[in-house]
């Protein structure tokens, strides 16, 4: 790697979510970010949602195809995700969360 600029160094900063013992899951499982509150948590603490025909639906078995959005099972997180457009941003396409609002 001699072609690298001599003044540039690779940063080896460990993000808080990647630090051992941080993030809610104890480092045992995958780490996800809630689309509502943007807090980092273990996959076990969040509920996966996917977009089916333009509508956001809950994926309790975590097996539906497509990109997943992760959300705490908290009405405040759902309200924040809807207000900020978190589902559409995480899915990278239009997503209508109105079905979720009527379920809760």
């Amino acid at each position: 790697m001699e072609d690298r600029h001599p003044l540039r160094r690779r940063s080896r900063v460990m993000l808080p979510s990647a630090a051992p013992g941080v993030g809610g899951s104890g480092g045992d499982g995958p780490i996800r970010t809630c689309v509502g509150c943007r807090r980092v948590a273990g996959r076990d603490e969040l509920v996966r949602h996917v977009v089916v025909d333009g509508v956001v639906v809950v994926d309790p078995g975590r097996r539906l195809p497509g990109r997943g959005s992760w959300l705490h099972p908290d009405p405040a997180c759902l309200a924040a995700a809807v207000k900020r457009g978190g589902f559409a941003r995480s899915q990278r396409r239009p997503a209508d969360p109105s079905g979720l609002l009527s379920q809760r």
Side-chain angles (χ1 to χ4, degrees):
M1 296 197 96
E2 294 297 322
D3 60 344
R4 187 184 246 178
H5 192 277
L7 297 179
R8 290 188 191 152
R9 290 188 289 163
R10 276 185 138 164
S11 175
R12 294 207 175 224
V13 176
M14 185 177 277
L15 297 175
S17 62
V22 176
S25 70
D28 296 330
I31 302 295
R32 303 286 185 256
T33 302
C34 175
V35 296
C37 66
R38 307 292 296 162
R39 287 186 313 214
V40 176
R43 189 175 68 175
D44 299 345
E45 300 173 29
L46 301 170
V47 179
R48 184 174 187 258
H49 297 77
V50 295
V51 174
V52 177
D53 296 328
V55 179
V56 179
V57 296
V58 178
D59 181 13
R62 300 177 185 154
R63 297 285 181 248
L64 291 176
R67 296 184 63 85
S69 298
W70 297 83
L71 186 72
H72 283 108
D74 180 10
C77 286
L78 176 61
V82 171
K83 181 179 178 183
R84 290 191 201 157
F87 289 111
R89 182 177 53 249
S90 67
Q91 296 289 330
R92 298 182 183 173
R93 62 182 178 158
D96 180 17
S98 61
L100 294 176
L101 296 173
S102 64
Q103 289 177 0
R104 294 197 183 209

